[in-house]
Amino acid sequence: MTDDQATTGRLYGVGLGPGDPSLVTVRAAELIGKADVVAYHSARHGRSIARSIAERYLTGGQIEEKLVYPITVETTDHPGGYRGALDDFYEEAAARLAAHLDAGRDVVVLAEGDPFFYGSYQHMHKRLAHRYPTEVVPGLTSVSAAAARLGQPLTEAEETLTVIPGTLPEEELAARIASADSAVIMKLGRTFPAVRRALERAGRLEDAQYVERAFMDGERTAPLAEVDAGTVPYFSVAVLPSKVAPLEPQVRLADGTGSVTVIGTGPAGPLWLTPEARGALAAATDLVGYTTYLDRVPVRPGQQRHGSDNKVESERAEFALDLARRGHRVAVVSSGDPGVFAMATAVLEVACEEAYRDVPVRIVPGMTAAHAAASRAGAPLGHDYAVVSLSDRLKPWEAVAKRLRAAAEADLVLALYNPGSQSRTTQVGRARDLLLEYRAPETPVVMARDVGGPTERVRTVRLGDLDPTQVDMRTILLIGSSQTRAVERGNATEVVWTPRRYPEA
């Protein structure tokens, strides 16, 4: 503390909890009773919820500073707009409090909930705390209050809690909700219709609970889907509670409500998952997939995992559809994008049989191996390209060769999937020799293995130097067109890119 600070008053940001005065902490009550100045925010009508909570702790001899917001909706003729009007208000309010502090008076700024959790106090803190000795007293947040009133845990085990302001754009709300384990959505009121639609789009509406004025007069709780939008005040929250199964045995969904969602998990771990994929995985009662891919999905209590070998795709699809027909919400896990040489086709093929036509099936896309590999190398897929699988297990090599030749004649960049394995060792060499009939030996080839994984290796070789022994099932090859360039930049890094403009004949 400096000499100047020793002669000033102290600033206190005091959290009051969610509304019930008996939930104010002992420390908060002591400070309110001893303060020289008690400040609180209010709308223009002059009523302050913060003051009403703290009223029993006031002594009657304190100076009260009512900080009245100039606006409460985002319409104003202020030249700086809504934000400019509020900034001016906060500056003026901070100056009023600074005058008391300079006079040696201790100032308590009241805050509903916790001062640093969407609280108005923080605007005073940012303007004054570096100038005066300051203490912040935490308070019980509306998040904890809502969970207590619902009687439902927010998080358990490895679950994460996401707090989301309802003022976000609807699409962003849906994305955040879909990717959350548990969530609390704040600032409802006029945002409620958009929040409800976002919950529905994310497939979480049936899980959502509504809490209004927790620990205040007029408290209400209800399933959010049953709430009339016209009755929702600002002091309300939406809650998506913990998904961990209760102690009672989990009851499966009612007959006819099961479904199958085929989910692309991207080329590697959690960083490559889309928010939609995260949400679909979290919502499933059962996970079905190749064991290696299932291992990439976090374990969640209450979910059943059904792993199998990589060579039983049709059997895996039928198993998933049977589970769904019995009322389970099934996620079929696929690496990359499920529609690219992956499980979506296998599931749909079986789902189109008469016995399964009534089972809902949804496809959730994922980052493809080709796009992931291209991003590591630069932009080799910047112009037209073709995607071909070198595997001849499900089609004859003659068909593979015909497609390679057609793409080469058209001067397309090629993304080659499934190039080789322990039992398939000749395809890469045969493909290289065929392409050399159309492409120069110097054509850049991106060899990308385990992109996003712990053993990732991405390098660029020339087509004429492509060594089949360096290629396995976890490798993808991106073979350039006549226009693709490999350029060495700073720090000896090489980037590969294909121009978007193709030269005229």
Side-chain angles (χ1 to χ4, degrees), residues 203-204 207 243 278-285 303 329:
R204 305 291 298 276
D207 302 326
K243 292 184 177 182
R278 285 183 185 277
L281 288 170
T285 60
Q303 282 185 335
R329 193 160 49 221

Side-chain angles (χ1 to χ4, degrees), residues 21-95:
S22 65
L23 294 177
V24 173
T25 65
V26 173
R27 178 63 173 160
E30 290 175 346
L31 290 173
I32 295 168
K34 294 190 300 184
D36 300 308
V37 179
V38 176
Y40 46 85
H41 293 80
S42 77
R44 282 183 287 188
H45 51 57
R47 298 184 300 276
S48 169
I49 292 175
R51 189 193 184 284
S52 68
I53 299 170
E55 185 170 9
R56 71 168 65 170
Y57 306 108
L58 296 172
T59 64
Q62 294 143 319
I63 300 170
E64 294 190 26
E65 283 285 359
K66 186 184 294 185
L67 310 177
V68 181
Y69 285 110
I71 52 175
T72 54
V73 294
E74 295 186 12
T75 55
T76 175
D77 57 3
H78 189 284
Y82 176 77
R83 178 51 54 194
L86 282 184
D87 284 343
D88 283 354
F89 162 68
Y90 291 133
E91 290 294 339
E92 185 270 336

Side-chain angles (χ1 to χ4, degrees), residues 1-8 131:
M1 183 184 301
T2 66
D3 291 340
D4 287 342
Q5 286 179 320
T7 63
T8 68
R131 296 162 52 191

Side-chain angles (χ1 to χ4, degrees), residues 215-295:
F215 292 93
M216 297 182 186
D217 292 338
E219 178 183 298
R220 176 169 60 137
T221 63
L224 188 136
E226 300 175 6
V227 174
D228 179 359
T231 67
V232 176
Y234 181 82
F235 284 97
S236 56
V237 296
V239 180
L240 292 169
S242 168
K243 292 184 177 182
V244 175
L247 293 177
E248 309 86 61
Q250 185 175 8
V251 179
R252 69 180 176 85
L253 303 171
D255 288 342
T257 62
S259 62
V260 172
T261 304
V262 191
I263 300 171
T265 61
L271 287 176
W272 300 84
L273 276 175
T274 67
E276 184 182 16
R278 285 183 185 277
L281 288 170
T285 60
D286 296 75
L287 302 182
V288 174
Y290 174 37
T291 302
T292 299
Y293 300 151
L294 275 183
D295 289 343

Side-chain angles (χ1 to χ4, degrees), residues 262-266 272-274 277 332-338 363-367:
V262 191
I263 300 171
T265 61
W272 300 84
L273 276 175
T274 67
V332 177
V333 175
S334 180
S335 70
D337 182 280
I363 313 299
V364 175
M367 170 73 74

